[in-house]
Amino acid sequence: MKNLRKLLVSLLCVVILASAGAAASASGISVRLNDTPLVFDQQPVLQNGRVLVPLRVIFESLGASVNYDEQTKTITAVRGSVTVTLQVGSSVLYRNGQHVYLDVPAQVIGGRTLVPTRAVAESFGAVVGYIQSSQTVTIQDVPVTSVVPALREMTVDRTSSVRLSASVFPANATDKTLSYRTDNPGVVAVSGDGTVSAVGAGTATVTMTASNGVEATCVITVVVPVSSVSVQAGRARYKTNETAYYTVTVYPEDATDKSYTIDISGAGGSPAGSGGAVFRSGGTGTITATASNGVSGSGSIEIIDLDEFAAEVVRLVNIERANQGRTALSGGNAMLNSAAMIRAEELITLNSHTRPDGSRWSTVFDEVGLMRVSAAGENIYGGPGNPAAAVEGWMNSSGHRENILKSAYGQLGAGVAMDSSGRLYWVQLFIS
């Protein structure tokens, strides 16, 4: 019995000494973050070779916001783009949803919730070490040394937004969070995630700053793109070899680059100085203006070949005469055609059978050298836009119809003139 008592006393002493030794080891542990000692209201605890510390001190010292859900015993800490979640008693920690297995779970000791130092610090990118001789846990942030934007300059239009992208070095930097600011909010606005929204035309510099103050910049130019281009001719029709003028309007008015190129096509057209074009043949002339961003607009002009129109009048008249059994009129008399052209030009000034100088229309024959004209007639018309309309109008008028179908006439001179508004004037001169 005496020997049994001695054995029990010896075992009790061993347990007490072991407990005292464990407590001394725990109370002697210190934690330093970036060479600064952390102060805890509950001393760190060493368990299974892992050091546990009060959760709020370690998280907040690492720059994380921390929340503890008492009901579910869940700890959530957020720093920048990293979210760490762990639950008291669980051997799994979640970093941005990815699980990390723990050697020692978070637990409540002495009325405080303690978390494993290494797992927590490394989840936020810190480097953790342990100095055995001094029982010191060391936590070191890996500082950002440089920020390299994907683009140092970019151009965006006023209606767009773009998210900036940058690489943070070194790759294992503890806190790779960037903040953003603009030096010209009237040009661009920038949100917390680096999304740049254009506000107005101009240039702004957006600065990207790491948590330790390392910076990089991106220069952003906001342009107002051309949305439409209008080409307006001076009038709807021009005659061949006459300079056709046009104006180009670029929208919106505050477009950054309102420059454009001009293409002249159709009717044998070519440029004729700034804002002008000349077309060599009848038909439709087209003027196309194209802005630097590819937006274009076109304007079309009717190009009249007055000689062709005059020849068409002769052809249509002879069709009408053939329908009535009359012989065809000759349109090849150059002097007669010249006289008709003179009279057509005079109609622009005075739309009458009386010439602007007050003389009779027939005096034009003497002017061009046509002598001994025994029988002659004149049809005039102001307004029709093409030969068919002109001939139809004359055929619907009894006096003009009589001239067209008169058997005594053997020759026809036709003339067409255009005034400054594009209105056409038509003349037929008949002689025997």
Side-chain angles (χ1 to χ4, degrees), residues 17 22 77 82 97 155 193 280 319 325 386 400:
L17 288 171
V82 177
T155 299
D193 67 353
R280 310 297 179 188
I319 290 175
N386 58 73
H400 298 98

Side-chain angles (χ1 to χ4, degrees), residues 37-55:
L38 300 184
V39 179
F40 305 100
D41 58 358
Q42 159 71 45
Q43 287 301 308
V45 171
L46 181 64
Q47 189 175 102
N48 294 336
R50 300 301 180 197
V51 176
L52 289 85
V53 295
L55 71 91

Side-chain angles (χ1 to χ4, degrees), residues 13 17 24 37 40 60 111 113 119 190 218 264 273 346 376:
C13 289
L17 288 171
F40 305 100
E60 291 182 350
T113 301
V190 60
C218 178
I264 310 295
E346 291 178 346

